[in-house]
Amino acid sequence: MGKLDYFLGIENKSVADGTILLTQSKYIRDLLQKTKMAEAQPISSPMTANCKLTKAESDLFSDPSLYKSVVSDLQYTTITRPELSYAVNKICQFMANTMDFHWTAVKRILRYLKGSIHHCLHFKAAPFSQPFTIKALCDTDWASDPDDRRSTSGAVIYFGPNLVS
């Protein structure tokens, strides 16, 4: 079937040193076109540090189906962009009752993607001279949700030099 280049919205690029790069640049460009954010000013982070989204922050968003569609697309981008996981998880919590403030948070993520469209996952072979390592890191924000006091936690797991979860 030939060399893998593009599959399910994920671009696969091989580098001469054996590194594999996975990116969703085309998928993100299409998402920016869909939301009319292709010309938006890029920003450096997907969410502000003090952003606390709640269930009753502002007026209801006028197009809930657009919100659901875009948030679903953003969920798919977390395959190659794990740094978006926290921000996308937060906006997913408001699919049933979407407010204008939630859409503003979505647009901020899109502006971040605009400025970091070429970021990708790097996979490289582990050196044969060293044993395989597994490294896990986690963090928790206890009772931080202003609506129901739920906690948020996250973890990353590396197998050798590669992020696997």
Side-chain angles (χ1 to χ4, degrees), residues 11 23-30 32 81 111-120:
E11 300 163 65
T23 181
Q24 290 176 296
S25 298
K26 182 186 178 320
Y27 186 84
I28 292 168
R29 275 192 297 276
D30 293 344
L32 291 170
R81 303 294 298 274
R111 289 178 59 205
Y112 170 74
L113 285 172
K114 167 83 163 122
S116 62
I117 199 163
H118 295 294
H119 287 192
C120 59

Side-chain angles (χ1 to χ4, degrees), residues 54-61 64 67-68 91-103 147:
T54 64
K55 292 179 181 175
E57 188 69 32
S58 64
D59 296 331
L60 284 173
F61 183 58
Y67 183 89
K68 291 174 186 176
I91 60 173
C92 284
Q93 295 174 11
F94 304 101
M95 293 272 231
N97 194 22
T98 306
M99 304 286 179
D100 286 335
F101 188 73
H102 304 139
W103 179 247
D147 293 320

Side-chain angles (χ1 to χ4, degrees), residues 1-34:
M1 291 180 64
K3 185 178 158 190
L4 179 63
D5 184 46
Y6 188 81
F7 184 68
L8 295 175
I10 300 172
E11 300 163 65
N12 180 15
K13 299 174 184 174
S14 298
V15 183
D17 67 355
T19 302
I20 297 172
L21 307 176
L22 299 180
T23 181
Q24 290 176 296
S25 298
K26 182 186 178 320
Y27 186 84
I28 292 168
R29 275 192 297 276
D30 293 344
L31 177 58
L32 291 170
Q33 288 293 332
K34 171 183 175 179

